[in-house]
Amino acid sequence: VCIHRVRSCSGIHFIKSKYVCVFDKSALKFSHQQRLFRTSAVSCGQIVQFKLSDIGEGITEVTVKEWYIKEGDSVSQFDSICEVQSDKASVTITSRYDGVIRKLHYNLDEIAYVGKPLVDIEIDASKGVASEEDVVETPPMSHEEHTHQEIKGHKTLATPAVRRLAMENNIKLSEVVGTGKDNRILKEDILNYLAKQTGAILPPSPKAEIIPPLPKSETVPAAPKDKARKIPVPVSRPIVFSGKDKTEPVTGFHKAMVKTMSAALKIPHFGYCDEIDLTQLVQLREELKPVAQTRGVKLSFMPFFIKAASLGLLQYPILNASLDESCQNVTYKASHNIGVAMDTEQGLIVPNVKNVQVCSVFEIASELNRLQSLGSAGQLGTNDLTGGTFTLSNIGTIGGTYAKPVILPPEVAIGALGKIQVLPRFNGKGEVFKAQIMNVSWSADHRIIDGATMARFSNLWKSYLENPASMLLDLK
Amino acid sequence: MVLQSSLKNCLQLSCILKTPKAGFRSTTSGGLIIQSISNDVYQNLAVEDWIHDHMNLENRQVLFLWRNSPAVVIGRHQNPWQECNLRLLRQKNIKLARRRSGGGTVYHDLGNINLTFFTTKKKYERMENLKLVVKALKALRPQLDVHVTDRYDILLDRHYKISGTAAKLGRTTAYHHCTLLCNADKFVLSSVLKSPYKGLKSNATPSVPASVKNLFEEDPSLTCEMLLDAIAEEYATQHQIGHHITLINPADETVLPGIKNKTKELQTWEWVYGKTPKFSVSTCLNMVYKDSVLDVKVDMDVKHGRIEVCKIDLPEQWLPPALCCELVKSLTGSKFCPNETTTLAATLLRVCPQDDELQSRWNLLCENMTMLM
């Protein structure tokens, strides 16, 4: 209602205050004394000194703790400018104007005074006087709260730029759901509203959509009806995409990955994949799970994979070796410190179980539990993360079948385990049966490992897992 | 039963929260008392944010009652390394939260109650709120010697602090919240609020340590529920509203749209640690290696929780200089966090000559470095 009125008066630059009252009678009850329009007296690029307003409780000075903007930044009305602190109270100072910050009067940790200039803002007058008319504003020096249009008993907050956008697109602000602070209507909200009307595809709004303020039972039947009535009309409006590229430095976990992978690049990888029938192992684990539980340990498949790998490494120790920088010497590591790739919130980490060659399956399970809980809490120590000689990556817990894992230097081999799938297979009698199949993808350093060695190791590992009883013969 | 009533109340609450003119029979336009059903510090802090950002407090003030499972809460502009024992927190699984109000660091557990008084900025008045609390306590137990100091603390027996205060002021609304010790674990409180980190220099707001006491120690018949009830009663009387507490579920997105995002933001590393004002660490690691003690001087500048500048002074040739250089380079720009440091150190070791002596020295250095974080 208000917008239409203004449009019809767009030729007039000064609107007398009495027209304001006509818009909505109930506005009178909530109106404040002073109500002026910013007139065309505001010329282009006028610098206004925004003073620190009264904070209450008779406080006269505060400490500036954080600046949210810097000189040269554009601000909109109600954007946060800085955070000041006084005697256990933290105060967010917001801008009263749209414009560009030209000067900050204080540095961090300096004392700022109430009533004295905080920042200088160059008022954005380039948008033209017309947009100013949409806003009912109190004069800059007033301490009164800004008044806003009252439509249907709700106060709608929106900056002049947003109001103009709504006006240009024939949108009633009362119909738009505001997602900004104090339910303020932002540009994104107008765009989202537009998208719904026209069926145009816009990128998802960065802020969560707010559900209309009525109990669910009332809105649900109403919504589908409305949707049915509205026929999306394709409009050749330019689609405004407000997303921006974001560049940030590579640090922390990602930096670690970059270093590891750059070193891994120097290793000539070859791959070898196979399929393992885990039907018997699945059954065995089911039987042993409760036993481990009584001892306080969660038993997954990994302890079996790890122990079987160690047994295999006893026969093919070159897979547990390390090649020196100059590729002159190969060191056969005595300990089987088998690393287990873990996905944590921060990223990929690879702690290892030490000396698997002398550990029982239960001990491995117990150690894995410890590493997993420390890993998810981000509390793994250097000892747990260093000294690995061979790695297994159980990517199958997330998904996938075959992979091409990257060797983690100074190791020479790595295995990636896909997910366990139930697939039909033929048994010895030529009958089809339900098999629990998992795929393994090995990668090895081709400078010292050849395909035959990898294949034989894989076959041995596979035989242990397909027939767990055979592990018993070779367990140390 | 609780769930039923909370659902009913939440629906009515959503009416109250969104349409300022809509009335709720027993709460007239004077005030509203709400209590959180959650003990998660992040969820509860998010409720405060939500009310501060979305509620119209023109004609209605709000009292929010909440309790948290063990957590340390630091003020907006504080340095967690300076204020508490982060290692102990991680070990004991005690949460660390940074609130948006100013003030010092407090320890919360279920034996502590939190009260938040929401008003418009104009009606912001901390002394009045604290006097209300004291009045409520005296009405409950007239023999209690409790009074408000001019630092906005509440003291028991003129000496022991039982309540600390902090406040947040925004564009139109403000809130003042305070703690109240009923039956908190004083032993854990004193051990977590003691920082072991040496050599820290910062402009962050420091906490003022005080002797504390639980009200329970003064009168064993007191419980948190009784205190909450007494305060709600006094608030209801003073605001001329019915003594009715509306339960609120901080995980309910329909009543509090956008609350999940607010909760998530409070848990991010960038908020909890990253908002620490710039500080420096200047200390000497005394590393015990074999039969000798090595003095290693470490200097670091930390901004936004990340290491801006890093200097490690090792005895010559104790570790390959190129490796040390790599460590310093890697740490620069990384979070001042033991987990990241450990991961980076472990990664760097991969591209070194494989030498047990080197490995043990490296691990020793890294363990000592992470002790600073």
Side-chain angles (χ1 to χ4, degrees):
Chain A
V1 167
C2 310
I3 297 164
H4 287 161
R5 276 223 173 249
V6 172
R7 263 214 301 181
S8 61
C9 310
S10 61
I12 305 164
H13 286 247
F14 297 90
I15 296 180
K16 295 184 194 127
S17 51
K18 72 172 181 195
Y19 278 126
V20 173
C21 302
V22 177
F23 287 170
D24 184 346
K25 292 209 174 95
S26 60
L28 277 173
K29 290 192 212 141
F30 299 89
S31 69
H32 293 271
Q33 299 301 355
Q34 305 273 26
R35 238 203 282 202
L36 298 175
F37 282 111
R38 208 181 285 134
T39 65
S40 57
V42 177
S43 51
C44 241
Q46 186 195 0
I47 297 198
V48 171
Q49 285 199 321
F50 176 40
K51 300 197 176 140
L52 181 60
S53 54
D54 184 32
I55 292 174
E57 287 186 338
I59 292 166
T60 52
E61 41 185 68
V62 295
T63 312
V64 177
K65 281 306 204 176
E66 188 174 333
W67 284 109
Y68 292 121
I69 42 84
K70 54 186 191 299
E71 286 171 13
D73 282 351
S74 335
V75 283
S76 305
Q77 197 185 33
F78 310 142
D79 279 354
S80 295
I81 292 218
C82 65
E83 198 76 22
V84 299
Q85 183 168 252
S86 157
D87 195 20
K88 305 186 193 183
S90 190
V91 191
T92 307
I93 307 294
T94 55
S95 175
R96 239 189 231 116
Y97 314 106
D98 284 349
V100 179
I101 303 286
R102 283 295 171 221
K103 182 171 177 189
L104 303 183
H105 285 262
Y106 300 102
N107 291 321
L108 283 179
D109 291 321
E110 276 188 345
I111 308 239
Y113 297 93
V114 173
K116 295 273 177 359
L118 185 67
V119 290
D120 288 349
I121 303 181
E122 184 182 314
I123 304 289
D124 208 356
S126 57
K127 290 204 170 94
V129 186
S131 63
E132 308 290 1
E133 290 167 354
D134 294 349
V135 181
V136 175
E137 259 192 34
T138 54
M141 289 319 295
S142 164
H143 289 300
E144 300 285 351
E145 208 187 321
H146 291 270
T147 54
H148 311 285
Q149 288 176 297
E150 281 237 18
I151 301 161
K152 292 180 191 165
H154 293 273
K155 292 183 181 179
T156 47
L157 297 173
T159 65
V162 171
R163 285 177 195 277
R164 194 219 227 137
L165 187 64
M167 191 171 82
E168 282 171 0
N169 290 289
N170 261 324
I171 294 169
K172 279 194 181 161
L173 281 178
S174 58
E175 284 178 21
V176 181
V177 181
T179 60
K181 207 170 156 121
D182 297 330
N183 280 336
R184 187 154 48 114
I185 297 172
L186 306 172
K187 191 163 97 169
E188 287 84 7
D189 300 322
I190 305 281
L191 295 175
N192 278 333
Y193 183 85
L194 269 174
K196 288 206 185 89
Q197 301 288 83
T198 64
I201 301 161
L202 287 175
S205 162
K207 297 229 170 81
E209 265 214 329
I210 293 185
I211 297 151
L214 286 171
K216 263 191 174 150
S217 52
E218 291 185 35
T219 48
V220 170
K225 254 198 270 174
D226 284 339
K227 285 212 160 98
R229 265 188 232 133
K230 292 199 170 109
I231 302 158
V233 175
V235 174
S236 58
R237 243 169 276 195
I239 295 170
V240 177
F241 176 60
S242 55
K244 275 192 219 127
D245 288 349
K246 194 169 96 160
T247 305
E248 51 186 33
V250 176
T251 57
F253 273 72
H254 291 150
K255 210 179 201 172
M257 281 259 307
V258 169
K259 286 195 187 299
T260 315
M261 295 308 148
S262 301
L265 204 59
K266 299 185 192 136
I267 305 173
H269 286 53
F270 79 90
Y272 178 90
C273 304
D274 205 352
E275 166 184 298
I276 322 283
D277 183 348
L278 294 179
T279 313
Q280 287 192 31
L281 186 64
V282 168
Q283 204 180 340
L284 178 66
R285 180 182 160 252
E286 277 309 303
E287 290 167 26
L288 294 176
K289 233 172 47 172
V291 180
Q293 198 63 53
T294 58
R295 296 192 207 169
V297 166
K298 204 170 139 211
L299 184 69
S300 63
F301 286 105
M302 278 310 273
F304 297 101
F305 298 152
I306 293 170
K307 188 60 183 172
S310 173
L311 292 176
L313 291 173
L314 286 173
Q315 306 302 320
Y316 301 97
I318 194 156
L319 289 160
N320 197 54
S322 188
L323 190 60
D324 70 2
E325 275 281 301
S326 55
C327 304
Q328 297 277 333
N329 297 298
V330 175
T331 310
Y332 293 85
K333 299 280 176 169
S335 303
H336 298 171
N337 298 336
I338 300 188
V340 180
M342 266 183 209
D343 177 46
T344 64
E345 265 179 21
Q346 294 95 356
L348 171 74
I349 46 167
V350 191
N352 56 83
V353 180
K354 299 276 194 294
N355 293 306
V356 176
Q357 75 278 8
V358 296
C359 291
S360 66
V361 171
F362 177 78
E363 283 165 350
I364 298 167
S366 173
E367 179 64 3
L368 264 184
N369 278 186
R370 183 186 76 88
L371 292 172
Q372 268 151 357
S373 56
L374 282 179
S376 47
Q379 289 175 33
L380 283 167
T382 41
N383 201 39
D384 293 324
L385 291 173
T386 55
T389 59
F390 183 89
T391 301
L392 284 177
S393 170
N394 196 0
I395 193 75
T397 50
I398 300 173
T401 46
Y402 291 101
K404 194 169 178 298
V406 178
I407 300 166
L408 299 169
E411 298 165 23
V412 294
I414 183 169
L417 312 168
K419 65 178 187 282
I420 302 176
Q421 301 170 290
V422 178
L423 296 170
R425 288 288 179 270
F426 287 101
N427 64 12
K429 298 187 212 142
E431 296 160 337
V432 175
F433 73 100
K434 236 168 71 168
Q436 306 265 14
I437 303 290
M438 180 186 78
N439 299 108
V440 61
S441 308
W442 302 105
S443 289
D445 185 338
H446 218 335
R447 295 174 295 182
I448 54 163
I449 316 280
D450 57 39
T453 309
M454 192 71 244
R456 291 196 185 102
F457 168 84
S458 180
N459 287 344
L460 182 58
W461 184 77
K462 174 175 156 145
S463 71
Y464 283 136
L465 294 171
E466 290 192 333
N467 187 7
S470 65
M471 271 173 84
L472 275 173
L473 278 178
D474 297 328
L475 272 174
K476 287 195 197 277
Chain B
M1 261 321 281
V2 175
L3 218 62
Q4 279 265 35
S5 74
S6 79
L7 201 63
K8 173 165 158 267
N9 289 327
C10 281
L11 274 177
Q12 287 153 341
L13 185 67
S14 74
C15 291
I16 298 164
L17 296 178
K18 284 303 193 168
T19 49
K21 287 185 189 149
F24 177 56
R25 201 104 62 91
S26 52
T27 40
T28 56
S29 54
L32 175 66
I33 306 172
I34 54 179
Q35 183 168 347
S36 174
I37 63 171
S38 162
N39 293 128
D40 179 72
V41 63
Y42 305 112
Q43 285 187 338
N44 290 329
L45 287 173
V47 171
E48 282 189 326
D49 284 350
W50 194 95
I51 297 175
H52 182 68
D53 289 347
H54 296 297
M55 266 187 89
N56 180 354
L57 297 162
E58 270 301 325
N59 300 317
R60 185 183 52 235
Q61 303 190 356
V62 177
L63 173 65
F64 176 43
L65 309 167
W66 42 299
R67 283 198 285 162
N68 296 320
S69 51
V72 168
V73 184
I74 58 174
R76 175 70 173 80
H77 309 289
Q78 292 201 295
N79 180 330
W81 288 276
Q82 224 174 20
E83 298 298 331
C84 55
N85 189 337
L86 291 173
R87 261 179 269 139
L88 192 60
L89 260 77
R90 290 176 200 127
Q91 267 172 37
K92 283 183 170 283
N93 235 349
I94 295 175
K95 296 180 187 163
L96 176 66
R98 179 187 296 268
R99 53 178 195 267
R100 291 189 195 269
S101 57
T105 303
V106 284
Y107 170 73
H108 289 184
D109 67 17
L110 291 172
N112 166 73
I113 64 172
N114 300 301
L115 318 161
T116 311
F117 299 85
F118 290 91
T119 59
T120 55
K121 219 158 115 170
K122 277 181 237 132
K123 298 230 179 85
Y124 166 69
E125 186 43 86
R126 292 183 282 184
M127 224 18 124
E128 289 303 309
N129 299 333
L130 292 171
K131 286 200 184 131
L132 187 156
V133 175
V134 165
K135 190 157 177 221
L137 290 176
K138 288 229 165 95
L140 189 62
R141 292 284 185 273
Q143 78 279 13
L144 280 177
D145 176 8
V146 283
H147 81 282
V148 188
T149 70
D150 50 16
R151 274 201 80 240
Y152 304 106
D153 291 337
I154 300 182
L155 296 184
L156 176 64
D157 299 335
R158 308 270 131 185
H159 183 63
Y160 298 102
K161 186 169 167 177
I162 57 166
S163 165
T165 269
K168 171 96 191 81
L169 288 90
R171 194 173 59 84
T172 54
T173 55
Y175 63 81
H176 157 222
H177 53 200
C178 59
T179 55
L180 190 60
L181 289 173
C182 176
N183 188 9
D185 189 332
K186 282 201 314 194
F187 178 68
V188 176
L189 186 152
S190 52
S191 57
V192 297
L193 293 183
K194 207 190 302 191
S195 166
Y197 304 105
K198 305 267 179 297
L200 291 173
K201 243 203 285 197
S202 118
N203 278 336
T205 315
S207 291
V208 177
S211 303
V212 296
K213 195 171 184 188
N214 282 306
L215 281 167
F216 173 83
E217 290 173 66
E218 194 72 9
D219 183 340
S221 67
L222 286 172
T223 64
C224 284
E225 285 76 19
M226 290 168 74
L227 295 177
L228 286 169
D229 213 52
I231 292 164
E233 168 99 45
E234 187 59 42
Y235 188 86
T237 308
Q238 286 197 16
H239 288 79
Q240 289 153 353
I241 56 174
H243 178 181
H244 176 94
I245 302 176
T246 306
L247 294 176
I248 189 167
N249 180 0
D252 192 342
E253 193 77 16
T254 53
V255 176
L256 308 162
I259 191 89
K260 287 217 164 78
N261 279 345
K262 287 194 189 290
T263 310
K264 232 192 291 182
E265 208 208 312
L266 287 164
Q267 292 172 295
T268 61
W269 193 94
E270 279 66 34
W271 174 258
V272 178
Y273 295 96
K275 281 294 184 184
T276 308
K278 186 168 176 180
F279 69 99
S280 66
V281 180
S282 194
T283 185
C284 195
L285 305 170
N286 304 111
M287 309 201 309
V288 179
Y289 186 65
K290 294 201 172 149
D291 291 326
S292 54
V293 177
L294 291 146
D295 285 327
V296 180
K297 210 166 161 317
V298 176
D299 289 282
M300 286 189 276
D301 282 347
V302 183
K303 190 173 167 189
H304 301 313
R306 286 177 185 269
I307 302 169
E308 234 186 6
V309 172
C310 177
K311 276 200 282 256
I312 309 175
D313 227 333
L314 281 164
E316 253 192 76
Q317 299 303 321
W318 193 72
L319 279 175
L323 189 59
C324 296
C325 220
E326 269 303 307
L327 179 64
V328 168
K329 251 196 347 193
S330 295
L331 288 176
T332 310
S334 293
K335 293 181 185 166
F336 188 62
C337 158
N339 197 27
E340 274 208 14
T341 305
T342 309
T343 310
L344 280 167
T347 307
L348 284 175
L349 202 58
R350 285 187 182 278
V351 296
C352 284
Q354 295 304 293
D355 174 351
D356 283 338
E357 176 80 12
L358 174 67
Q359 279 212 10
S360 56
R361 287 187 187 193
W362 185 252
N363 284 350
L364 180 66
L365 174 64
C366 294
E367 268 164 34
N368 275 271
M369 287 291 287
T370 55
M371 289 293 272
L372 298 174
M373 308 175 188

